[in-house]
Structures are given as C-alpha cells and as structure tokens.
Amino acid sequence: MINARGSAVSPPAAPRIFSPPLRVAIVGAGPAGIHAAGALAELAPGTKIDMFERLPTPYGLVRYGLAPGHAESEKFVASLHTVLVASDFRLFCNVEIGKDLSVEDLRSSYDAVIIATGAPRDALLDIPGVELPGSFGAADFVGWYNDHPDAPQHWPLHAESVAVIGGGNVALDVTRMLLVEAQSLQATDVSDEVREGIAGSRVREVHIFVRRGPADARFSPNELRALGELPGVDVVVDAADVAPDRHIERMTKQLVHTRLAVETLRGFADTAPADRTAQRRVHLHFYRKPVEILGNGKVEALRVERTDPDGYGHVTASGVCTDYPVQAVYRAIGFLGTPLAGVPFDHGRGIVSHRSGAVVDESGLPIAGLFVTGWMKRGAAGLIGAARPDARQTVETMLRQLDSFGGRRVDRNRIEEVLAAGDLFPVDWEGWLRIDAAEKDLGVEHGRPRVKIGDREELVRIGTKSAVHAE
C-alpha cells in the first residue's frame, strides 16, 4: 500500500475470528489498557475481555494525571469511553493484581494476559539531601491535586520559594498548580479540600531547573503559553539561555513544536524588567543540573551546577555551582513502573522486559500468554495518544504468537471461583457509572460540571452493589 506521501506502508491486519472466542485479561484500566481492548475488538472480534484495575475507578492517567481544567481531559474521557464500550468487556475495579489476585491466577484462566499498569513511581534523583523534609516527588503532589484515592489528604504549601526539577510538561503542571489562584479552580472538578489547600498556599516564587537547553526540553508550546497566562504571575527567562546556537537552530528548523516552544521562551526573555510587575514569579533556568539539596533537618536551599552545551545537544559539567534559597523541592524528572510479582522486570529502565510487547524471561524467550503495553512497555514517555498504536502493536504480537504456538490449556471457570472465594469488593462498569453520576450530582450542587470524590471507601461504597441495597 502507498500512503498520501507516496511511501509504502503495511496493510492493516485482517480481523481474526477464534473459536471458541479468546478470553483475555487486561491489567490496568487506563489509556493503555483501554486501547488494548479496542485493538482486540478490531483485530479479533468476539474476544471476551476482563479488565482489572486496582483503583475504584477507570481511566488512570486521564483521570488522575492531568492538571485540573486541562482542555483535553473531557475529550480523552469521552474517547476512552467510546473505545471501551465498543468491546466485549467486564470491568473489575478495586481489584489489585499481585495482592488480591496473582498473575498466575490470570494466566491459568485466560488465553492471554496484557499488563498495562502504567508508571506510578517517581524516577529517582540520586543527590545528597533528597530525603530531607520538603523534598517531594511530583507523583504525590499530582495525586493530591487530582483527588487520587491513595494520595495524602492534605498538602503542605508553606514554602514561599520553591524549586521544581525537570524539563517536561509535568514540571510545568506542578508549577502552575503551585501558583494557581484558587478561584480559577471553581470551574474544575477538584474537591473543595484541594481548593482550600491551594487558597492557603504561601508560594510566591518558583524556580524550574532544566539540565539541558531549550531545544531539548520536552515542554509543549501550549503548556508554556498556559504558564505565561497565569493571572498575577510573571515568567522570567535569561536571554542568554535561549540565545541561538547551531544545535538550537538545527532543532527549531526540524521540529515545529520545538520552534514554537523556543519562540515562546524567547518571548518571555524579551519582556522588559519594568513590565514584570506581578507579585509572583516563575524563573525558568536552562543548563542547570541539581547536585545537592541543602538543609539542616529540612530543605533550605538547592545547589545547582552550570552545564556547558557543545552545540550538538550534549552538555558537560562546568564545576560552577550556585545555591538557590528555597524551602521546598519538587522532583519532576520522570516516572517508573512498579514491579509485578511473576512478571520479569527491567529495574534499570523501570519497565517490563519484552520484545514488541511479548514479555520475555531472563534468557530472552517469550513467556506464553503474557504481554505488556503502555508505559510499562516503553517507559513514561510520549503523549496520551501514543497508547493507541502501542497497544495495537502488542495485540498484533499476541495474535501472531497464538497463531504460531496455539492456545494454552486454561480453566476458563477458575477466575470466577477465585473471585468468589476472595474477600473482594469489585466495582464493575455499572458501579463506575454510579460513581460518575454521583460526581456529576455533586457538581450540580456546587455549580460545576463535576466534583471528584477522592475517598476510596466512599468510591467503593457507591460503586459496589451493596450501595444500591443501602439506599
């Protein structure tokens, strides 16, 4: 086949019909898992899908990873809903694989198991002082302001000057939420507890530190512009950090989003000091590498080292360090997957060991019937939309493996027995719809489209059938 640009492309895979229909378990009900269900519905019509999620609600990153008021969040939810209901699925939220059920329970009950659990852990920052009180991982803070049921109920926003380490959109989200005005969250779905916490924030200054230059940061132009549009906040960039060099010029010519991001940053740098009148500020520092968090019993400063660019996108240490007085440090340098018992794990990369989505053992041989997709497959990189082609590749690999080696002997009734024997309270699809309706009802009471419920027990109470009987 030839595409519109005249390039050869692979023809779409023909749908496969299996008799009896395949039964597949998907671990994780976020974008990766839902798109795997969608690929199965398209490529192997009739497949029976059971989706397991440790949280009481589906949608994962879309529900708990985007900043409140994100312009695309409702569109993402609607899209995932459409994909999910087009497949033949059952939903088992509030069931944790590795705790309530084992991977082996699933492998013995299904023709295939797809791991799609995401990357919920903060990547490690190995510098002295990282353990000091006031040093936070971005994942916990993001969970708090998104009313994640496992996040802390309260968040300390006592620092006036804060450092954020990272060169991606998570660093920008964290910064915006540190400086956002509580009243601007009125139209979002955050709980009153989060809005009250934001209202009590003392943060007046945020320093963002990026190890390399502006052409290598992963800031999207839209997120940068949103930072610059925060009411009562000035964004400060050193013109020297965004001055042209051969690497920046090369990257801005090749990549449109890089050009737009650099143009936005240069716009911040061109703002005259006299025009910076806001009482709160964001300082974006490029070519700065954190080397130590300083403090006696708590965070008191961050020491950063200047890095020197070589014109090819690489940097080297200069040995020149500067201490920035801050009272809190937020680490937004990436996320890692969590090992799952019974699944080979690459601890260095924070992903499941695999080949094109087929999980492999220590010798590199595929483990029959076990697959992976999403961030547990490729690492925490790429936009949410990347989950779709990624899931399709995994499903295509799965179907080829089933063609080559045939099905395994499985007891299709065993999972029902295991679920019935355990002291479990699964939230099914109807239960999620009750939670969805309850949050929308709360929104009506507060004059908003929705108010999230963050308490796990309340989510489970509404989502389980016992809630119906209690009402």
Side-chain angles (χ1 to χ4, degrees), residues 69-108:
H70 193 289
E72 301 294 315
S73 57
E74 287 299 324
K75 185 177 76 173
F76 286 142
V77 169
S79 175
L80 293 176
H81 176 95
T82 300
V83 171
L84 198 51
V85 298
S87 60
D88 189 351
F89 77 102
R90 295 189 300 176
L91 184 65
F92 296 90
C93 289
N94 199 43
V95 177
E96 183 172 354
I97 305 305
K99 177 182 177 183
D100 299 319
L101 299 173
S102 69
V103 171
E104 192 53 42
D105 287 332
L106 300 183
R107 291 188 65 224
S108 64

Side-chain angles (χ1 to χ4, degrees), residues 64-188:
Y64 293 118
L66 300 178
H70 193 289
E72 301 294 315
S73 57
E74 287 299 324
K75 185 177 76 173
F76 286 142
V77 169
S79 175
L80 293 176
H81 176 95
T82 300
V83 171
L84 198 51
V85 298
S87 60
D88 189 351
F89 77 102
R90 295 189 300 176
L91 184 65
F92 296 90
C93 289
N94 199 43
V95 177
E96 183 172 354
I97 305 305
K99 177 182 177 183
D100 299 319
L101 299 173
S102 69
V103 171
E104 192 53 42
D105 287 332
L106 300 183
R107 291 188 65 224
S108 64
S109 305
Y110 296 90
D111 298 299
V113 178
I114 300 176
I115 308 299
T117 50
R121 295 185 297 146
D122 283 294
L124 300 178
L125 179 65
D126 188 16
I127 62 173
V130 73
E131 76 291 342
L132 283 171
S135 171
F136 304 108
D140 287 338
F141 183 54
V142 172
W144 172 74
Y145 65 63
N146 274 310
D147 292 290
H148 192 293
D150 295 339
Q153 291 186 346
H154 305 284
W155 195 267
L157 292 170
H158 311 311
E160 292 190 2
S161 186
V162 174
V164 175
I165 302 170
N169 285 341
V170 174
L172 297 184
D173 281 348
V174 166
T175 299
R176 286 196 291 116
M177 291 305 295
L178 286 170
L179 291 170
V180 71
E181 294 178 344
Q183 64 186 28
S184 70
L185 299 175
Q186 177 62 37
T188 72

